[in-house]
Amino acid sequence: DARSLHTTDLDHWGESRDSAEFKHLLRALAALLSPLTEGSPERASGDGDDPVSIAVLPFVNMSSDPEQEYFSDGLSEELINQLVKIGRLNVTGRTSSFAFKGKTDDLRLVGNRLGVNHVLEGSVRKAGNRLRITAQLINCRDGFHLWSQTYDRQLDDVFAIQDDVAGAVAEALGLAFGLGEAAPAPATTTSLEAYDKYLRAGALLRNVGSSARAVAMLQDVLAIDPDFSPARGALAVRYALMLIFLPETSAQTIEDITETVRQALARAPEHWA
């Protein structure tokens, strides 16, 4: 899928067509160039030799405050990250899934366009310290629900909810965690304040003009929880983009990105090897 293609590492392929990196690239290209066509339910079913695949559509913000949308978008992204950890499950990347944000297309057609046989959608309502999350898993072959659940929890339970949703999706699809080899997942945080700032920074990261605010917010996150690896990775990515779009600050940015990478390797080398 597009996400696989965008994250394929060819630094060590050695110009060998038999290397694992090159074969991974070919598989990603094949998935990208051969989307499912309408009217092919057999292929979209996930039966037989077809891989089980899923797209997480942006969860709808049902809160009275439209500015809370950063939270629903961030939750959707975190669920993508959780589902990627499941062996034998192909997960569409954020860019492809978020192309359907705000749209009400038939989910069978969405599945065909994204080349997946399942879709996870839902909504988020955040009011004070209360959180209601509704999630639904749909089979793109027939549009029927395979699983749905509503979670009414305290806001600080959001981390457990993410695990619950990913686990329920795995169970509904007949999959299990830990199949195959996978790199260790970057350490998350147990601090709700750090997590909330991280999601807010994520929304800013999509706007180059908000680089300074995003960097400051991610620095705040790491001041709260220095071991929150995804935040440090996001900070390194922002610095890298600043080298491209803000060349006038390149001298300082190079120092900043060097220190960020040094801290990342010192605190959690297993996540960045």
Side-chain angles (χ1 to χ4, degrees):
D1 55 35
R3 182 181 188 279
S4 298
L5 179 62
H6 291 166
T7 59
T8 298
D9 181 6
L10 288 177
D11 287 345
H12 308 292
W13 77 297
E15 299 185 1
S16 170
R17 292 172 180 263
D18 294 324
S19 68
E21 292 85 354
F22 186 74
K23 290 180 178 178
H24 182 70
L25 176 62
L26 290 181
R27 288 195 298 270
L29 284 171
L32 183 64
L33 297 175
S34 303
L36 296 177
T37 57
E38 294 183 24
S40 301
E42 298 81 13
R43 189 174 179 192
S45 68
D47 297 333
D49 295 329
D50 286 344
V52 182
S53 53
I54 191 170
V56 179
L57 299 185
F59 276 39
V60 178
N61 173 35
M62 300 293 289
S63 305
S64 57
D65 182 1
E67 292 188 4
Q68 293 295 324
E69 193 156 323
Y70 80 91
F71 191 88
S72 55
D73 285 353
L75 178 66
S76 305
E77 294 183 42
E78 290 303 301
L79 285 172
I80 291 174
N81 294 336
Q82 289 276 41
L83 292 173
V84 165
K85 303 173 191 175
I86 300 177
R88 298 190 303 168
L89 180 61
N90 294 334
V91 184
T92 298
R94 179 199 180 281
T95 301
S96 299
S97 295
F98 272 62
F100 291 91
K101 182 174 179 177
K103 298 182 180 180
T104 57
D105 301 36
D106 187 317
L107 293 180
R108 292 171 294 182
L109 301 181
V110 171
N112 280 330
R113 290 182 62 183
L114 291 175
V116 298
N117 37 56
H118 300 89
V119 163
L120 181 69
E121 65 169 3
S123 63
V124 180
R125 186 183 298 275
K126 184 169 173 273
N129 197 43
R130 296 295 302 174
L131 190 65
R132 167 171 284 190
I133 296 176
T134 299
Q136 304 170 89
L137 180 66
I138 292 93
N139 186 328
C140 294
R141 176 185 60 179
D142 49 28
F144 290 166
H145 285 68
L146 295 176
W147 165 84
S148 65
Q149 182 66 46
T150 297
Y151 301 87
D152 286 300
R153 306 274 186 85
Q154 295 292 322
L155 187 57
D156 53 10
D157 285 336
V158 64
F159 311 113
I161 294 174
Q162 291 172 9
D163 291 338
D164 288 347
V165 172
V169 168
E171 183 177 355
L173 295 177
L175 297 171
F177 286 94
L179 297 179
E181 296 182 2
T188 185
T189 182
T190 57
S191 167
L192 186 59
E193 181 183 3
Y195 180 74
D196 188 77
K197 284 180 176 289
Y198 171 68
L199 294 187
R200 290 180 184 271
L204 293 174
L205 289 175
R206 299 173 199 120
N207 183 355
V208 174
S210 300
S211 293
R213 290 175 59 203
V215 165
M217 197 167 290
L218 288 169
Q219 289 172 337
D220 287 346
V221 171
L222 292 170
I224 298 169
D225 185 352
D227 294 317
F228 189 8
S229 294
R232 200 174 301 280
L235 183 60
V237 169
R238 174 49 54 184
Y239 283 141
L241 291 175
M242 288 173 65
L243 287 175
I244 300 172
F245 295 105
L246 297 172
E248 64 274 14
T249 64
S250 59
Q252 181 60 50
T253 302
I254 290 174
E255 292 184 16
D256 292 336
I257 195 172
T258 300
E259 176 60 18
T260 301
V261 171
R262 187 190 71 78
Q263 287 283 344
L265 293 176
R267 289 185 173 274
E270 70 277 12
H271 296 315
W272 313 106

